[in-house]
Amino acid sequence: MNREPERTDPHVPYFFLSYAHTPPRATDGPDPDMWVRRLYQDLCEHILMLTDLPEGESVGFMDRAMRIGEDWSSRLSAALATCRVFVPLYSPRYFVSDHCGREWRAFALRQTRSRTSQDSAPPAIVPALWTPVHAERLPSTAKSLRHDHERFGPHYASYGLYALMKLRRYRAEYEHAVRLLAQSIVTSAHENPVPRGEPLDLADLPNAFGPPPVLRRVRIVVAAPSSRELPPGRSERCYGPSPVDWNPYRESDVDAGRPLADFAAEQVRGLDYLTTVEPLDEAAGSLLAEAHPSAPTVMLLDRWAVADPEQRELLTRVDAAAQPWVVVIVPWDRSDPDNQTSGAELQSALEKTLPRTLQRGRSVSRAATGGVPSLSAFADVLPTVIQWAAAQFLRYVSPVYPPAGPPVPRPRLLGPVPEPGSAQETPDDPRI
């Protein structure tokens, strides 16, 4: 019986590259994962040469390849349910990534459910070493796999693919290691066929690596009208029954029909944060009165919200609280005809309502507070804003405790100690 997935769907990937995203250093800076993307492209080229994959069929899956606005979670879940081989890209960041642990779990469950009790075939998981990871930091799920890194060359085992790729003198070794990795993927695909599975919601799966060492959270608060409470001059095309249904890019961006908060939540989870989404009226109480806030907050603010007296009053109180871990992003589609006629007036009202918050936000990203024009621009701004809010939260809220044990005296620099018998040595010298 052929247990392999059917190869009639051109969107079924041959392999799934699972990697930990590197946070960007700046909104307009280079893609920090550009070298991972280059590795992915090199693997795809080798696998095409080693297989008879039809023209147009997907060779691999890497989540960076998806367009902004696509249903990210469903595409990712479908790829995990249909790929032939799972390729985890080992790095210290990988094994503390809650998201990567859930990807691993999804593929492992698919294999477990497809096997009989007599089936002892090795898993269709082919690990790749991106940067060195100490053996003691490997979770049990990774320790149980056969790694065999030495087969790819001594410098690969010592430094990983990233160093081989970046250093010119190792270029030949990089090409050799990638070719062997591609061969291992193809061999595993044929020797360990895995049937299709049902797409799983990663949010419902436990982390295959165990609980993350640090539980990171981000709150997403939406300040926008609902379709039932729109101010005069605003059409309902960008709104829904709840404020969290708001999407200012609904008509200007392809495939941007989902609420903006849903898209933001997926991006936040991709950065290995747990997240919640709340409308402003439900979150305002905790933002204003919580003695020990639970998480940094990113507020998605529609300028049209300030046209509503109740929301404007709530926003004024949030601004007066001046919590530094609350950061605002102001999406603003300039092609929307309603925005073209009322933009200046609404911006003036917003400046009067949130002067402190907007000023603080400009120090982080002027693009975030000045009116983010598109969904792709929003995706670029969001990671920088999240990291800044999280840093402020750690600085002002998270407690810092001294290490356990008795206090250690602060060290003192006493200068050079004189040689025994020297003229400088006296009984009164406090260093003797």
Side-chain angles (χ1 to χ4, degrees):
M1 181 178 66
N2 182 10
R3 300 174 58 214
E4 293 189 35
E6 296 178 7
R7 307 302 299 168
T8 57
D9 184 350
H11 299 295
V12 171
Y14 199 90
F15 72 98
F16 183 106
L17 184 64
S18 175
Y19 70 102
H21 292 261
T22 303
R25 297 181 62 183
T27 303
D28 55 353
D31 179 5
D33 293 318
M34 61 178 292
W35 298 103
V36 177
R37 189 168 66 250
R38 185 172 298 180
L39 168 66
Y40 168 79
Q41 293 167 348
D42 292 341
L43 281 173
C44 288
E45 290 180 7
H46 282 295
I47 290 173
L48 274 176
M49 295 299 167
L50 295 170
T51 64
D52 60 352
L53 289 175
E55 181 180 357
E57 187 165 345
S58 294
V59 180
F61 179 93
M62 177 183 175
D63 58 6
R64 280 277 178 173
M66 292 188 295
R67 295 176 298 164
I68 294 296
E70 286 188 299
D71 190 345
W72 178 79
S73 60
S74 63
R75 280 287 310 279
L76 190 147
S77 297
L80 286 167
T82 55
C83 65
R84 289 190 176 196
V85 179
F86 182 79
V87 182
L89 198 56
Y90 285 12
S91 68
R93 189 183 298 276
Y94 186 83
F95 292 108
V96 298
S97 167
D98 184 63
H99 188 80
C100 293
R102 293 169 190 263
E103 290 178 348
W104 189 308
R105 175 74 69 178
F107 187 82
L109 283 175
R110 176 182 156 202
Q111 286 199 128
T112 301
R113 292 169 179 173
S114 67
R115 289 180 177 166
T116 64
S117 58
Q118 293 80 25
D119 192 348
S120 59
I125 299 178
V126 178
L129 187 63
W130 184 240
T131 54
V133 182
H134 292 295
E136 62 270 17
R137 297 191 62 180
L138 291 175
S140 58
T141 49
K143 288 179 179 177
S144 64
L145 289 178
R146 179 188 174 192
H147 303 299
D148 199 16
H149 293 321
E150 296 293 342
R151 184 170 69 90
F152 293 83
H155 288 120
Y156 170 88
S158 300
Y159 305 135
L161 287 166
Y162 177 69
L164 300 189
M165 179 185 293
K166 292 276 285 184
L167 299 176
R168 184 175 300 176
R169 65 179 179 271
Y170 295 141
R171 184 66 192 180
E173 293 184 58
Y174 168 76
E175 295 289 353
H176 175 71
V178 173
R179 181 173 55 82
L180 287 181
L181 179 59
Q183 289 178 341
S184 297
I185 293 171
V186 172
T187 299
S188 182
H190 289 278
E191 293 183 353
N192 310 309
V194 184
R196 288 175 182 261
E198 292 296 325
L200 303 175
D201 187 347
L202 296 190
D204 295 335
L205 298 179
N207 185 337
F209 310 145
V214 178
L215 192 60
R216 309 197 303 174
R217 299 180 183 273
V218 170
R219 299 175 70 184
I220 297 175
V221 173
V222 182
S226 69
S227 56
R228 298 187 300 268
E229 302 168 336
L230 293 173
R234 187 56 169 150
S235 64
E236 63 179 19
R237 60 180 173 270
C238 296
Y239 302 91
S242 168
V244 299
D245 296 320
W246 168 57
N247 188 338
Y249 312 119
R250 193 179 300 276
E251 294 188 357
S252 60
D253 272 278
V254 178
D255 294 328
R258 293 182 298 151
L260 183 63
D262 286 358
F263 176 80
E266 288 183 349
Q267 299 294 305
V268 170
R269 286 191 288 268
L271 295 171
D272 296 317
Y273 288 90
L274 301 178
T275 188
T276 57
V277 176
E278 306 164 80
L280 176 63
D281 58 352
E282 295 181 10
S286 59
L287 287 176
L288 298 170
E290 194 169 11
H292 299 285
S294 60
T297 300
V298 176
M299 183 184 299
L300 309 182
L301 175 61
D302 182 8
R303 287 177 184 167
W304 288 93
V306 298
D308 176 73
E310 292 185 4
Q311 292 214 54
R312 187 169 62 248
E313 191 271 336
L314 282 177
L315 290 169
T316 300
R317 292 170 59 198
V318 168
D319 188 72
Q323 295 179 335
W325 52 88
V326 177
V327 188
V328 168
I329 300 180
V330 184
W332 188 254
D333 182 3
R334 297 183 180 92
S335 66
D336 188 316
D338 296 348
N339 293 343
Q340 293 174 2
T341 58
S342 303
E345 180 183 351
L346 291 173
Q347 179 62 25
S348 176
L350 183 61
E351 295 285 349
K352 295 176 181 177
T353 304
L354 289 170
R356 293 181 178 180
T357 307
L358 292 178
Q359 183 60 36
R360 184 169 63 244
R362 291 188 184 103
S363 68
V364 184
S365 169
R366 285 190 171 274
T369 57
V372 184
S374 66
L375 194 61
S376 59
F378 178 85
D380 289 340
V381 165
L382 186 61
T384 299
V385 170
I386 289 171
Q387 291 171 52
W388 192 88
Q392 297 303 303
F393 184 80
L394 289 174
R395 178 182 179 185
Y396 289 99
V397 178
S398 296
V400 177
Y401 299 103
V408 178
R410 179 178 296 181
R412 298 177 60 192
L413 296 177
L414 300 176
V417 177
E419 294 292 333
S422 68
Q424 294 179 350
E425 181 180 8
T426 66
D428 295 328
D429 194 325
R431 292 168 292 185
I432 298 177

